[in-house]
Amino acid sequence: MAEVHVAAQQGFTKEARAYARGRPGYPPALSSWLTGPMGLATGRTVADVGAGTGKFTKLLLPTGANVVAVEPVDAMRAQIETGLPAVRALAGTAQSIPLPDAALDAVVCAQAFHWFASRGTLDEFHRALGPGGKLGLVWNVRDESVDWVAALTSIVTPYEGDAPRYYKGEWRLPFPHPGFSELVESRFEYQHVGPPQQVIVDRFMSVSFIAALAPPDGAAVRERIEALIATHPALRGRETVSFPYHTLAFHCTRS
């Protein structure tokens, strides 16, 4: 399990259920990206690598493609096995996908590629994809132009340590890669609507490096988040809130 960052291994093991409850879904418009640029359709095979609890995996099923989920954390993969019986869930990592050469027509990584972005990972994706196969990378990025969203980020950021994050941009370093075309970006807007406990508290307490904290530190973070919810004018007393995200999707083609 050395290929899995300690914050991901510990945090996602401890908070797999909170992750499943609190993580946002994805905008409906992303479906056309999956069947358009990503080319998913009946007869194709796609692997969701770093699939987590299957939040994104389930969006792949309506395309008609055969869906494989690759996830190294047992507690996360168990959520897929329970909730998505039509999906083949495999224990594996991005650096070692347990499938033969050219077995896939597409690989997708949602909220995950920053954990394992490397030349070696892209080499492995190239091996597992057939010629013309598609690689898709997706992230929900918090809209921090909203003041209370920015305040939540300021609560958790001091704890991130060396945990990989999308915003740091290090995930871009393996590109360009000789085996893939240039990345093409698509952008969608999304609102995660639900009770504050779900879309804010569960969401932030399931962040890998927060979930991995010692209990006293985790309790202090939770207390600050709940205090913000109780006092901010846009959140105070609300049974339902809308958490704003930008959904960024990148795709490229295997040569």
Side-chain angles (χ1 to χ4, degrees):
M1 200 60 74
E3 292 174 319
V4 181
H5 192 285
V6 64
Q9 178 64 40
Q10 294 180 0
F12 292 150
T13 296
K14 288 172 62 179
E15 294 292 343
R17 288 189 175 86
Y19 185 105
R21 290 193 305 269
R23 289 293 169 125
Y26 296 90
L30 203 58
S31 297
S32 62
W33 178 80
L34 292 171
T35 57
M38 288 298 295
L40 298 186
T42 301
R44 304 290 180 89
T45 299
V46 56
D48 185 359
V49 177
T53 62
K55 281 273 186 177
F56 191 82
T57 316
K58 66 183 178 183
L59 300 186
L60 304 175
L61 292 171
T63 68
N66 301 312
V67 181
V68 179
V70 179
E71 170 55 47
V73 179
D74 294 345
M76 303 285 270
R77 196 173 61 256
Q79 299 280 326
I80 300 174
E81 292 168 343
T82 299
L84 297 172
V87 172
R88 182 185 176 196
L90 302 176
T93 66
Q95 303 89 346
S96 183
I97 297 172
L99 292 170
D101 294 356
L104 299 171
D105 299 292
V107 168
V108 294
C109 306
Q111 305 295 125
F113 185 72
H114 55 281
W115 285 107
F116 42 72
S118 70
R119 176 63 178 265
T121 291
L122 292 184
D123 290 345
E124 176 66 353
F125 290 171
H126 190 271
R127 180 198 67 79
L129 285 165
K134 305 294 184 177
L135 171 61
L137 312 176
V138 179
W139 285 274
N140 281 325
V141 179
R142 297 189 292 271
D143 181 358
E144 292 176 354
S145 68
V146 177
D147 64 348
W148 58 265
V149 176
L152 287 163
T153 295
S154 71
I155 292 172
V156 300
T157 297
Y159 297 95
E160 69 183 24
D162 69 348
R165 307 295 305 283
Y166 168 83
Y167 80 87
K168 294 179 179 179
E170 294 173 354
W171 66 271
R172 291 183 179 273
L173 295 178
F175 296 98
H177 185 284
F180 290 94
S181 65
E182 183 178 353
L183 284 172
V184 178
E185 179 179 349
S186 301
R187 184 185 181 100
F188 309 90
E189 301 305 315
Y190 181 64
Q191 299 275 337
H192 188 200
V193 179
Q197 176 67 39
Q198 176 188 345
V199 303
I200 299 177
V201 179
D202 284 345
R203 168 67 183 92
F204 279 85
M205 296 310 297
S206 72
V207 169
S208 58
F209 55 85
I210 298 300
L213 290 173
D217 293 328
V221 171
R222 180 184 291 271
E223 184 176 344
R224 290 186 64 192
I225 292 172
E226 291 177 342
L228 179 67
I229 294 169
T231 58
H232 193 284
L235 303 174
R236 183 176 60 238
R238 299 290 183 90
E239 293 185 2
T240 301
V241 297
S242 297
F243 200 121
Y245 289 89
H246 307 298
T247 300
L248 305 180
F250 302 83
H251 74 276
C252 58
T253 303
R254 180 203 186 280
S255 58

